[in-house]
Amino acid sequence: NAASYAAAAAAYAAELKQLDDELRTQFATIPVAQRKLVTDHDNLGYLADAYGFTVLGSVIPSLSTMAAPSAQEMAALQDQIQTEGARVILVGNTVNPAAAQQLARDTGAQVVPIYAGSLSDEAGPAATYIAMMRHNAAAILAAFGQ
């Protein structure tokens, strides 16, 4: 079945290329100077790098969601959000959003829930990788008023 697998892989690669082109076009509608994000933890660098966002910091400055930010780290991040004018805090669906929500209240930023640690069930908005990326992009774009 090598030919069948190769054809399926090529078709999926084409779908991923189309998705990437779609996201690049959509994110290009956000002015570069406004593409500033805060994340719940250090896991979205790939998104920032691929689509021209700047991650100013993370609520949990670690790859692990088990870590906890210090009061000093939270104060520094709050200052940076206010100085840089960040409007969006991305929070994955598997993370407790309490610290991000408090940071949003203190700074006026908006908490944007996205799928980052897992997909949704089959009936949900992120049942596949491609559906997840489209769902997350729509949530991010809406937060930026696009």
Side-chain angles (χ1 to χ4, degrees), residues 1 17 42 64 71 80 118 124 132 134 142:
N1 292 326
K17 173 68 172 120
D42 290 334
S64 170
Q80 188 169 14
S118 69
M132 175 195 74
R134 284 188 174 127

Side-chain angles (χ1 to χ4, degrees), residues 5 7 19 21 42 52 63 78 80 87 94 99 103 119-120 128 143:
Y5 297 136
L19 172 68
D21 292 344
D42 290 334
L63 287 173
Q78 180 177 335
Q80 188 169 14
R87 298 174 14 199
T94 61
L103 192 57
L119 300 175
S120 66
T128 67

Side-chain angles (χ1 to χ4, degrees), residues 6-145:
Y12 190 61
E15 285 183 65
L16 292 175
K17 173 68 172 120
Q18 179 182 354
L19 172 68
D20 181 56
D21 292 344
E22 180 183 314
L23 297 182
R24 285 183 191 286
T25 299
Q26 291 174 347
F27 289 139
T29 64
I30 303 169
V32 173
Q34 293 179 16
R35 290 188 213 166
K36 298 174 185 177
L37 302 171
V38 172
T39 61
D40 55 7
H41 65 290
D42 290 334
N43 69 334
L44 295 172
Y46 75 93
L47 181 81
D49 290 344
Y51 300 110
F53 287 91
T54 299
V55 176
L56 297 178
S58 299
V59 175
I60 302 170
S62 169
L63 287 173
S64 170
T65 58
M66 301 303 289
S70 70
Q72 184 178 13
E73 289 169 328
M74 287 295 285
L77 184 55
Q78 180 177 335
D79 289 345
Q80 188 169 14
I81 290 169
Q82 291 172 324
T83 300
E84 298 281 342
R87 298 174 14 199
V88 175
I89 303 172
L90 299 179
V91 177
N93 62 311
T94 61
V95 176
N96 181 338
Q101 289 168 339
Q102 182 60 53
L103 192 57
R105 282 190 294 274
D106 292 344
T107 62
Q110 178 182 354
V111 171
V112 178
I114 61 169
Y115 284 87
S118 69
L119 300 175
S120 66
D121 61 25
E122 283 186 48
T128 67
Y129 173 78
I130 290 174
M132 175 195 74
M133 291 300 291
R134 284 188 174 127
H135 171 82
N136 289 350
I140 293 167
L141 289 160
F144 280 99

